Amino acid sequence: MVINKVRHGKDTSNWATGMIKQLSKSSIEVWTGLKQRLWLERRVLITSSTVAACIILLRCTGLLQSWEWAALDWFFRLRPSPPVDDRILIVGIEEENLQKYGWPIPDRVMAQLLQKLHSKKPRAIGLDIYRDLPQEPGYAELQKAFANIPNIVGIEKLKDKTSDGVLAPPALSQRKQVGFNNVVIDADGKVRRSLLYSWVDNKLHTSFSLHLALIYLKAEGIEPQAAKGTNYLQLGKTVFKPFESKDGGYVRTDDKGYQILGNFRKPSIGFRKISMRDVLENKIPQDWVRDRIVLIGSTASSLKDFFYTPYTSDLVKSAQPIPGVELQANFLGQILTAAQSGQGTIAVWSDSIEWLWILVWSWLGAILIWRSRSVASSILILFLAGTSLIACAYLAFLAYWWIPVIPPLLALVGSATVITAYIAQLKEELKRSKEFLQNVINAIPDPVFVKDKQHRWIVLNQAYCQFLGYPFNTLIEKTDYDFFPSHEADIFWQQDELVF
């Protein structure tokens, strides 16, 4: 900024001495300006760090948990659909099957179904139907089928807070061909995690999906083992790191048992499906069963064996749950994919990295707004930054990483809002300073002007306006080139540059 006082008469001072003084003054102003800029930048960083700390504290209270779940669900729905997992076949017990055979399905019909599937040489058969009590007629036939089919796995429901549990079929329980089908449900009613193991009454139980996966993988030469240096389960290329209460968007969540984050497929095209009636009538291709895992379970709406997953959410339509047997197919498919390809398990960051991530976006929001020149550009920059954040999180999700979206987004917007308010305050202070300066210099009888770095007059007193012969509104924010010949304006410009 140039502040000049115009005097009449010849300058009798030494030119060299004047130049030295001007250069010295210029250096002092530059250093002072630099210190002021550093102080302001420091205030920006302190402010944005404070905003980030508040967001981190808010996240730790769990108030952002449901928003993080919603973001995760959205990523699932945006993700390109993988091909159908033909390693798994779902045999559904539909409404028409109930009308024909009744419910519960008689043991004789169930025995026939198992025998027909076994004849097509599946690698494993999973019976996702409770069979702890006889369902005559045909109980003896079903027990015989259980005894003669070596690769069948039944289900049990473990005792929990809401239920006393359901026992497994005795014949399968004796042969230890049983897995539990208990499901972990989040506070919003959706399933986003699966259980691999659970401890009840100091006894280790294996899940239904994991038991079937171990049978399938054994034929591939993959056996369960403890990961090196830990007691984590390793299958093939993947170590299944247990879910912890603060993983991903979760806060203080029950992490009992051996849980993992679920990786779900789109319900409509995730797995091959066929009706129980078609199997009994031999209307099933041989290659759909051979060396596959067959899951038998209810898909009839009247039996109400349904669960909500990230895919069963929609902003327009009402959420549609999926059958329990399809949920088990998702758990099973995730384990198989992870063991065979090393992909499929969703990883998360540690708390310290997540906090740094939030802090970085808070800093970015503050710095971008601080250096923005207008409200329109600020809005555009903030929009682009938010879009980039979401894009980064989505790309990470495609690589099976769940990183925070909502906390850094709030930090970005929050710090930008605070800095915007701070800039508005500074502008108001500048406006009052200019008004005060204007009042002061108007009282000076000699002509006085103030220029900015674009060499525009930004403050003029009335004496200077009279000196040039133009009114204030005509001169303000104009330059010497608008009122003087070019050769004179060039001299004024050079003199201003020396001061700058």
Side-chain angles (χ1 to χ4, degrees):
M1 180 180 294
V2 176
I3 302 178
N4 199 4
K5 184 176 179 181
V6 179
R7 295 185 181 274
H8 301 286
K10 186 177 180 180
D11 187 355
T12 59
S13 64
N14 183 273
W15 180 85
T17 304
M19 282 293 297
I20 293 174
K21 288 182 178 180
Q22 285 187 338
L23 289 174
S24 299
K25 184 179 178 181
S26 178
S27 299
I28 293 172
E29 289 180 347
V30 169
W31 172 243
T32 303
L34 180 60
K35 287 196 297 182
Q36 291 176 343
R37 183 176 181 85
L38 290 175
W39 169 247
L40 292 173
E41 294 282 357
R42 182 183 175 189
R43 291 193 62 178
V44 169
L45 293 178
I46 292 174
T47 301
S48 59
S49 299
T50 304
V51 171
C54 292
I55 296 299
I56 291 171
L57 181 62
L58 187 64
R59 182 190 182 282
C60 291
T61 63
L63 295 177
L64 304 180
Q65 182 174 246
S66 59
W67 293 6
E68 279 292 291
W69 289 347
L72 176 66
D73 297 349
W74 184 47
F75 285 165
F76 268 112
R77 296 192 298 275
L78 286 178
R79 183 176 64 176
S81 300
V84 174
D85 190 345
D86 59 4
R87 298 168 299 185
I88 301 170
L89 173 66
I90 296 176
V91 176
I93 300 176
E94 302 172 351
E95 290 291 347
E96 63 173 358
N97 302 145
L98 303 185
Q99 295 171 6
K100 181 175 182 178
Y101 303 111
W103 183 259
I105 300 295
D107 287 341
R108 178 170 295 157
V109 176
M110 191 62 66
Q112 293 173 359
L113 177 65
L114 293 173
Q115 292 289 1
K116 286 185 177 292
L117 289 171
H118 179 59
S119 66
K120 297 184 181 296
K121 300 181 179 180
R123 196 168 291 184
I125 299 175
L127 184 60
D128 189 24
I129 299 174
Y130 296 119
R131 239 13 184 212
D132 56 321
L133 299 173
Q135 303 295 335
E136 297 289 1
Y139 179 70
E141 297 174 39
L142 182 59
Q143 299 309 302
K144 183 179 179 180
F146 285 159
N148 293 335
I149 301 175
N151 58 350
I152 187 171
V153 177
I155 60 168
E156 63 177 343
K157 184 175 182 180
L158 301 179
K159 180 175 63 175
D160 55 27
K161 296 179 181 179
T162 61
S163 171
D164 291 332
V166 180
L167 297 176
L172 297 179
S173 183
Q174 292 174 5
R175 295 163 54 190
K176 297 183 178 180
Q177 293 179 208
V178 175
F180 65 82
N181 68 341
N182 296 61
V183 174
V184 182
I185 300 177
D186 288 332
D188 62 350
K190 293 182 182 179
V191 178
R192 297 183 180 88
R193 294 168 283 157
S194 67
L195 272 167
L196 300 182
Y197 296 103
S198 186
W199 288 263
V200 177
D201 298 329
N202 296 322
K203 182 180 178 182
L204 180 65
H205 297 262
T206 304
S207 72
F208 179 61
S209 56
L210 178 59
H211 200 133
L212 289 167
L214 294 178
I215 295 175
Y216 184 94
L217 294 172
K218 186 175 182 179
E220 302 288 326
I222 298 175
E223 297 278 358
Q225 59 183 349
K228 186 176 180 181
T230 70
N231 57 355
Y232 298 163
L233 170 67
Q234 180 171 350
L235 287 173
K237 300 179 179 180
T238 297
V239 175
F240 292 84
K241 184 180 181 297
F243 168 83
E244 297 180 0
S245 62
K246 292 184 179 181
D247 280 354
Y250 287 93
V251 178
R252 298 190 301 274
T253 303
D254 184 1
D255 56 1
K256 293 179 181 178
Y258 200 122
Q259 304 178 30
I260 61 172
L261 292 170
N263 188 8
F264 300 89
R265 289 175 174 265
K266 199 168 186 178
S268 58
I269 57 175
F271 307 94
R272 287 174 173 171
K273 302 172 186 176
I274 196 169
S275 169
M276 182 183 77
R277 182 175 181 177
D278 290 337
V279 176
L280 292 173
E281 295 178 357
N282 296 315
K283 297 179 180 179
I284 178 173
Q286 177 78 20
D287 59 351
W288 280 26
V289 180
R290 189 179 183 89
D291 287 331
R292 267 66 173 179
I293 299 177
V294 180
L295 296 180
I296 305 170
S298 165
T299 57
S301 58
S302 61
L303 298 181
K304 299 181 180 180
D305 181 24
F306 289 85
F307 296 90
Y308 291 96
T309 70
Y311 275 109
T312 51
S313 297
D314 200 305
L315 296 177
V316 180
K317 303 176 183 177
S318 59
Q320 298 296 321
I322 64 172
V325 65
E326 187 171 349
L327 182 66
Q328 295 295 332
N330 274 277
F331 296 157
L332 173 58
Q334 179 182 358
I335 296 171
L336 297 180
T337 299
Q340 292 182 304
S341 69
Q343 297 181 336
T345 57
I346 298 178
V348 297
W349 282 344
S350 64
D351 286 345
S352 57
I353 296 179
E354 287 189 0
W355 295 347
L356 179 60
W357 174 250
I358 295 170
L359 184 60
V360 167
W361 283 100
S362 184
W363 284 347
L364 184 63
I367 292 172
L368 289 176
I369 296 302
W370 178 253
R371 296 181 178 178
S372 177
R373 295 183 177 272
S374 67
V375 175
S377 63
S378 296
I379 295 174
L380 178 60
I381 289 172
L382 198 60
F383 173 77
L384 293 176
T387 303
S388 300
L389 167 59
I390 295 172
C392 289
Y394 177 64
L395 292 175
F397 179 73
L398 294 181
Y400 304 104
W401 281 91
W402 182 15
I403 64 177
V405 178
I406 302 302
L409 191 60
L410 290 178
L412 175 74
V413 175
S415 61
T417 302
V418 173
I419 295 302
T420 299
Y422 178 55
I423 292 174
Q425 179 187 354
L426 290 180
K427 288 182 177 179
E428 181 62 26
E429 291 178 356
L430 177 62
K431 179 182 177 183
R432 291 198 298 267
S433 298
K434 288 176 66 176
E435 290 174 351
F436 175 75
L437 179 60
Q438 186 70 55
N439 292 331
V440 170
I441 67 172
N442 276 336
I444 300 174
D446 292 320
V448 177
F449 64 84
V450 179
K451 288 183 179 179
D452 62 13
K453 287 196 173 184
Q454 283 73 45
H455 297 255
R456 298 174 301 185
W457 292 301
I458 58 173
V459 177
L460 303 162
N461 70 347
Q462 291 301 319
Y464 190 71
C465 294
Q466 294 172 5
F467 178 73
L468 293 184
Y470 293 96
F472 176 85
N473 291 335
T474 302
L475 294 172
I476 194 71
E477 294 191 354
K478 298 295 194 303
T479 69
D480 294 310
Y481 288 97
D482 296 315
F483 301 96
F484 294 95
S486 297
H487 66 280
E488 293 185 16
D490 289 340
I491 295 173
F492 297 149
W493 187 283
Q494 292 171 8
Q495 291 174 344
D496 291 345
E497 284 297 319
L498 292 174
V499 180
F500 283 137

